[in-house]
Amino acid sequence: MSDVKEVTPAVVSDTSIDHEVRTSWWRRIVGLVWDSAEGEPRERKYVQKIDGFMFLGIMIGSLPAMMFQLSWARPSYFIPACELVWSALVMGMAGAKNIETMYALRFFIGLFEACAFPGYIALLGGWYGPKELTKRVAILLEIESIASMFSGYLQAGLYSSMDGRHGIAGWRWLFIMDGVISVPIALWGFFGIPDLPHTTKAFYLNADDRKYGIERIEKLGRQPPVKLSLEVVKKIYLDWKIWTFIFPYVMMASCHSATSYFNLWLSAAGYSVVHVNVLPTAGNALAIVVNILWGVLSDRTGKRFILINSLLVLMMISNILLSVWNIPKAALMFAYYLSYTGSATTPVLIAWGSHLNAGDPNLRQLLVATSNIVSYAWVLWTPLVLFPTYDAPKYKYGYQILILFGGLAILGVCLMDFLYKREAKKSSVRYVGREEDADL
């Protein structure tokens, strides 16, 4: 008998959670941005409790191995354990005596951190509904941008204040402190990460919370997790659903990669070292604002198709300007900054894919993990071919090909939209994509 558990199509609805209960004028205003500020009191209290602990776990934990979690381990055990190993490896870099040791340590550090993002996406997708998920994915994505904006200043301060202390070079202190800071955070993860609603043992959720959480998420079509097996894996990777998600995911990540070459242009254009380091942080700030805004709009309106494609059109405009190149400096600056907004397409697509595949827990949890692997493989060669260093900062073909990637991303989103609509018609499942086509 096959180990594959057939998943019964679930009725997916944006209205399974009541967001229409009104309380006060200030809650109505805050509720336009953050869903748990208003609504039915029991629902609001539950979501706020999950936010308070699980979000904290997302920001402080890392390094899940997705396949291992699906087969054997609880995230609340495995993620913190990996975090502790990661901390030890980072501190080990401070004691490295040669470059070979650094390479080896860096390899294992990368190995333990590789699945952090898809692991937390899977946790978010297991707890939050279609009116809640996108903004939280956007926040998760932008934690890295926020860290990038401030880490340079923190590292500079630590280096200057600790260099030579106890006979240890400043750069070695950076690794030591990175590892030390992570240890208490990892220990908290053993208690704070809630696993999934059907398997949670979180101390901050009482029996009533756990029962309510299962009922709540099942109304949204979420099924309990199924132990991963070879048959399940084959079923997932031979299905069109995962590949129609991966294609636009990879193309979207590629089409706004002009941000990687902003610094090179600033240097070539004669900007000072200070400006070369500071001006891109404004792009990161813009990305944070647009990511959160698009997350809120996606959760409030459900118009994921329009929100994604509108930004992809802007990416094409950005790359067209960069392809022309011989335009005023202000126009090039505008084009580079515009490219930062493209990162906001990713959380919308992730939340959309998670919702469309609500009834298949294994597929839902492997979507981002697999997409990241393909994306990493893709970006291994594209910079070398499209953006060779000898062409910097004006590239002969690079930005033109990014226009193509933007167009392919739009086609990929349209294809995914079409195929899920066709599937919905066949199985009489309510499809949630473009709001105007929600009821078929």
Side-chain angles (χ1 to χ4, degrees), residues 98-127:
N98 52 60
I99 193 64
E100 290 78 15
T101 302
M102 293 290 282
Y103 286 154
L105 288 170
R106 190 64 189 88
F107 169 80
F108 285 105
I109 288 170
L111 185 66
F112 277 93
E113 71 184 12
C115 294
F117 177 65
Y120 283 120
I121 291 297
L123 287 173
L124 287 174
W127 286 93

Side-chain angles (χ1 to χ4, degrees), residues 6-320:
E6 291 297 326
V7 178
T8 302
V11 176
V12 180
S13 173
D14 271 345
T15 58
S16 297
I17 300 176
D18 182 9
H19 287 262
E20 301 304 320
V21 178
R22 303 294 181 180
T23 49
S24 60
W25 65 268
W26 69 268
R27 285 191 183 278
R28 290 198 294 271
I29 294 173
V30 176
L32 293 173
V33 177
W34 201 256
D35 43 77
S36 61
E38 62 174 346
E40 192 271 323
R42 179 69 179 87
E43 170 77 13
R44 190 170 68 243
K45 181 179 179 182
Y46 174 82
V47 174
Q48 288 171 348
K49 183 179 288 191
I50 296 299
D51 279 343
F53 286 91
M54 181 177 174
F55 245 16
L56 184 59
I58 287 173
M59 287 185 278
I60 64 177
S62 63
L63 314 174
M66 184 57 62
M67 302 288 276
F68 190 78
Q69 287 185 65
L70 288 171
S71 301
W72 298 288
R74 283 179 172 271
S76 57
Y77 298 158
F78 189 65
I79 294 174
C82 288
E83 179 82 5
L84 290 174
V85 175
W86 182 91
S87 300
L89 291 169
V90 170
M91 287 187 281
M93 294 183 76
K97 303 298 183 183
N98 52 60
I99 193 64
E100 290 78 15
T101 302
M102 293 290 282
Y103 286 154
L105 288 170
R106 190 64 189 88
F107 169 80
F108 285 105
I109 288 170
L111 185 66
F112 277 93
E113 71 184 12
C115 294
F117 177 65
Y120 283 120
I121 291 297
L123 287 173
L124 287 174
W127 286 93
Y128 293 106
K131 291 185 178 292
E132 305 160 340
L133 181 57
T134 315
K135 69 176 76 70
R136 289 166 173 87
V137 174
I139 290 172
L140 173 61
L141 278 167
E142 290 315 303
I143 289 172
E144 182 177 353
S145 295
I146 294 170
S148 297
M149 291 174 64
F150 294 103
S151 63
Y153 302 107
L154 294 174
Q155 289 178 10
L158 181 62
Y159 180 86
S160 60
S161 63
M162 297 295 289
D163 189 31
R165 186 73 60 89
H166 302 294
I168 301 174
W171 67 268
R172 296 185 187 271
W173 277 114
L174 295 178
F175 290 120
I176 293 172
M177 296 307 297
D178 278 349
V180 168
I181 291 171
S182 297
V183 171
I185 289 171
L187 294 176
W188 162 252
F190 286 107
F191 305 96
I193 295 175
D195 297 318
L196 292 169
H198 291 86
T199 60
T200 186
K201 293 183 179 179
F203 72 92
Y204 47 86
L205 297 177
N206 56 38
D208 182 58
D209 286 332
R210 295 174 189 176
K211 179 182 177 183
Y212 178 78
I214 293 173
E215 293 172 349
R216 174 181 183 270
I217 212 68
E218 286 185 349
K219 288 180 181 178
L220 296 167
R222 304 290 198 273
Q223 300 295 316
V226 179
K227 186 175 180 179
L228 204 62
S229 67
L230 180 59
E231 289 297 319
V232 171
V233 171
K234 287 171 60 179
K235 179 176 180 291
I236 290 172
Y237 286 105
L238 292 176
D239 196 338
W240 58 265
K241 293 184 177 68
I242 194 166
W243 300 109
T244 54
F245 178 88
I246 289 173
F247 179 68
Y249 184 97
V250 174
M251 290 298 103
M252 287 186 337
S254 299
C255 73
H256 67 87
S257 58
T259 56
S260 301
Y261 310 99
F262 189 23
N263 297 69
L264 295 176
W265 174 72
L266 290 171
S267 297
Y271 286 90
S272 67
V273 174
V274 172
H275 283 104
V276 169
N277 285 284
V278 171
L279 288 175
T281 65
N284 290 327
L286 177 63
I288 292 168
V289 172
V290 177
N291 266 265
I292 303 302
L293 176 61
W294 249 241
V296 171
L297 289 173
S298 174
D299 285 348
R300 294 294 300 184
T301 68
K303 294 182 179 292
R304 303 172 182 92
F305 181 91
I306 295 174
L307 288 169
I308 292 173
N309 284 327
S310 62
L311 281 182
L312 289 174
V313 170
L314 292 181
M315 291 306 96
M316 296 179 73
I317 293 173
S318 168
N319 289 314
I320 288 171

